[in-house]
Amino acid sequence: IVPQKTGDGATYRCTVWNRALGQRQKLESRASLGVNYFPRVTIGQHNSLRIEEGDTAVLTCKVDSKPMVDNVKWTRSGRYIATTFRHVIPTVDIEDEGPYYCEADNNLGQTGKAELNISVLYGPRV
C-alpha cells in the first residue's frame, strides 16, 4: 500500500481462515488509513489579478493539507504582510503592483507556496 491523499480514510480488511477453525469461521481485522500530506496552495481564480487603481483588491489563499493549517503567511518583496487566508488591499495604488506570495506550513517538513501577480490599471499621467 502506497499512502496517497486519495487513500485518506480508506478502510482495509484482512480475512484469514485455516483448517484449525470451523468450516464457517474466519478471523477478520479492519484498519483505517490516515494519510497526512504537505500543503497544496492556490491563490484566487485569476493570475494575474488586474485591478484598477483606487479599487479594492481581495487576495484569497486556499490550502489543502492534512493536518489542516490555522493560518498562512502572505509576503511581498520578502516582507511579511498578513496571516489571514483572505488579504484585502482597501485602496490599490500603483505601488501595490507586483508579485504576492501565500505560504502554508503544517509542520510535515515541506511548505506549500503560491504566487499571485497584481497588475494595476491606471489612466494617463502628465
Side-chain angles (χ1 to χ4, degrees), residues 103-121:
E103 188 172 352
D105 186 0
N106 64 355
N107 298 314
L108 291 180
Q110 182 177 323
T111 60
K113 190 174 190 178
E115 174 185 347
L116 172 70
N117 192 55
I118 291 184
S119 296
V120 178
L121 308 174

Side-chain angles (χ1 to χ4, degrees), residues 44-92:
Q45 297 175 356
H46 307 286
N47 198 355
S48 92
L49 178 61
R50 297 166 49 96
I51 189 150
E52 290 186 26
E53 184 177 33
D55 284 354
T56 299
V58 179
L59 288 60
T60 304
C61 185
K62 296 178 182 174
V63 181
D64 178 23
S65 69
K66 185 176 176 189
M68 294 173 50
V69 297
D70 295 328
N71 56 44
V72 295
K73 181 172 132 182
W74 285 98
T75 56
R76 178 166 186 260
S77 302
R79 301 172 118 177
Y80 156 82
I81 56 174
T83 59
T84 56
F85 288 92
R86 186 173 177 264
H87 176 61
V88 177
I89 304 170
T91 308
V92 172

Side-chain angles (χ1 to χ4, degrees), residues 15-18 20-27:
T15 305
V16 296
W17 174 88
N18 74 22
L21 298 172
Q23 281 272 356
R24 296 180 191 249
Q25 279 188 313
K26 298 178 200 169
L27 295 176

